[in-house]
Amino acid sequence: MKCLRVRAAVSVLALVLLAGCGTGRDAVDASGVPRLRARPADANNGRPRMVPPRGPRSSFTPFRTTGDDGTQVVRTTWHGRKSGFTGDIWTWLPPEYHRPRYARSAFPVLIALPGAYGYPFNYWAGEPFSLEERLAEWSRQGKTLPFILVMPVLNPGKRYYDGSDIPGQPKMGSWLTEDVPDFARANFRTYDSRDGWAFMGSSSGGFAALKAVLKEPQQFKAAIVNGPDTAPDSPLWQGHPAEMRANDPRHLARELDRRKGPEVYLAFELGSREVAVPDVKRFIADYTGGPIHSTLFDIPNGVHSGHTYIQRMPESLHWISEQMQGPVPSP
């Protein structure tokens, strides 16, 4: 799949579609998405517990304003102590985060990963998709949870590292699954349980999201997986077959099924015109089930592009929201 993306890069149009740099705003219809089911508030029984920001607090730079209420996407640079990698992270807090009735509540975190190289920018932070504005609207309507969006760079440069700790290379697996969550815990009110942690990714970021949840199910409960690779294929794996297998979602899914859990929830989005259709559907048929719950959102005439995936984001975000813990207002 990555080789297909690289060849497609000779086309300016393909680059625009994949990187999300188009003009205008994509049409997204959320009218058919229902409200989330009512759940009993568990703020008083201690499960899961709110963890206050631990610090050290980051210094943020405004990136873009997303609403009349003053919400913003902000940017910072974070040094990952586990990976040793230093990279940019964009973040957005939902409007509910600053409201007095939620001042003592944690919020769920969604780590959103872009496609292509995901460097030097994470396109989910940008205006063309307006993911932040849409999430504010959908959560206000009660259709999704009000997630904290954390949007890190995916790679340390313009090479594919498969969101993994490839021997002799920057530890991008540790960056995504340890350092980026540490950043969120340092700065925001989060939950101490995996019920408050999920991934979302497209294309190469979809592979990283899929692998992260299958490899670390004790930390992350759900993922939205859009047009993903389903097997590691970075050329940097050469000479490291055992480590490559340990980062293969197929192997990880088999191991999770053998252990009988913990349960994870995967929402796949797939455009009908994508080359990956047979591969992704085969993965769902062969490697999900048991503790691995999955649902597939087909997108008619959809292509391998974030502009395709945003069309079903209300449904996929609703589906994983149903599996996770949202903020609980004060009595």
Side-chain angles (χ1 to χ4, degrees), residues 27-267:
V28 179
D29 181 10
S31 61
V33 178
R35 292 180 60 86
L36 295 172
R37 290 172 295 180
R39 288 171 290 185
D42 55 359
N44 298 323
N45 65 19
R47 295 188 302 273
R49 294 183 298 111
M50 185 270 282
V51 179
R54 299 172 179 173
R57 296 294 186 95
S58 299
S59 176
F60 293 101
T61 301
F63 178 71
R64 71 180 187 91
T65 299
T66 60
D68 295 337
D69 53 8
T71 54
Q72 292 183 319
V73 175
V74 294
R75 184 188 66 82
T76 193
T77 300
W78 183 256
H79 175 71
R81 294 185 178 181
K82 306 292 176 48
S83 67
F85 174 70
T86 301
D88 286 346
I89 300 176
W90 290 260
T91 307
W92 177 81
L93 298 176
E96 294 89 339
Y97 187 89
H98 296 293
R99 291 176 183 163
R101 65 195 302 251
Y102 292 107
R104 290 185 289 170
S105 177
F107 278 71
V109 176
L110 181 65
I111 301 172
L113 305 177
Y117 298 113
Y119 177 90
F121 179 55
N122 185 319
Y123 58 58
W124 292 118
E127 191 277 334
F129 294 122
S130 300
L131 178 60
E132 294 77 14
E133 290 91 334
R134 299 182 196 276
L135 185 54
E137 177 183 355
W138 300 333
S139 63
R140 184 174 64 251
Q141 295 170 347
K143 297 181 176 184
T144 72
L145 294 178
F147 289 95
I148 296 172
L149 291 181
V150 176
M151 299 164 280
V153 292
L154 179 59
N155 289 297
K158 293 192 174 181
R159 299 179 76 180
Y160 293 109
Y161 292 76
D162 279 344
S164 303
D165 290 359
I166 300 176
Q169 304 295 332
K171 296 181 177 181
M172 302 314 292
S174 294
W175 163 252
L176 294 176
T177 62
E178 298 188 67
D179 294 329
V180 172
D182 281 350
F183 156 80
R185 294 186 188 101
N187 288 280
F188 312 115
R189 302 189 304 275
T190 58
Y191 281 116
D192 68 344
S193 121
R194 74 192 193 106
D195 294 293
W197 295 86
F199 270 90
M200 185 268 281
S202 298
S203 191
S204 54
F207 170 85
L210 174 65
K211 191 205 73 172
V213 173
L214 293 175
K215 190 171 186 178
E216 307 290 348
Q218 72 283 359
Q219 297 185 51
F220 308 102
K221 190 174 184 180
I224 298 171
V225 187
N226 303 326
D229 301 319
T230 59
D233 62 358
S234 170
L236 299 171
W237 287 115
Q238 186 173 356
H240 306 288
E243 292 87 350
M244 181 176 176
R245 184 170 183 266
N247 287 275
D248 188 325
R250 299 167 299 181
H251 169 71
L252 295 168
R254 284 193 295 264
E255 287 296 297
L256 187 57
D257 183 60
R258 181 184 61 81
R259 298 193 306 269
K260 309 299 182 186
E263 296 185 339
V264 296
Y265 297 82
L266 306 174

